[in-house]
Amino acid sequence: FPPSIEPATYPDHWQLRKVSSRATISFHSHRLFIGKAFRGSTVAIAPTPTPGIYHVHYRHHHIRTLDLSTMSPNARPPSPRS
């Protein structure tokens, strides 16, 4: 194993957010649950061609899709296991 993991790199137009100790990020006036496994990590939010739809990535993994048109502020998106 390498002694340390290199920081992830993302395209410049993606927005970065640090996941809080409560496993959330803030994005467009929404507090969004990302997942306990990502606490303290940086995730990237990528726009899609559809307005209001974003993909959340951790390194090369897509971890969540956000649809801001169906969310109220401070909403918790459904778990990916639902």
Side-chain angles (χ1 to χ4, degrees):
F1 295 103
S4 64
I5 298 173
E6 292 293 321
T9 57
Y10 301 103
D12 290 337
H13 65 284
W14 289 15
Q15 297 183 47
L16 303 182
R17 296 290 188 278
K18 185 170 182 175
V19 181
S20 75
S21 61
R22 299 180 128 205
T24 62
I25 61 169
S26 180
F27 184 66
H28 285 256
S29 300
H30 297 278
R31 175 71 47 192
L32 306 166
F33 183 80
I34 298 301
K36 291 180 182 179
F38 301 102
R39 290 183 289 200
S41 300
T42 298
V43 296
I45 303 169
T48 68
T50 306
I53 306 292
Y54 297 86
H55 294 299
V56 181
H57 295 267
Y58 176 72
R59 298 189 165 270
H60 63 276
H61 300 282
H62 171 257
I63 58 172
R64 178 147 304 204
T65 297
L66 304 175
D67 182 349
L68 297 183
S69 69
T70 63
M71 300 176 95
S72 60
N74 301 314
R76 183 176 177 152
S79 168
R81 290 180 258 173
S82 313

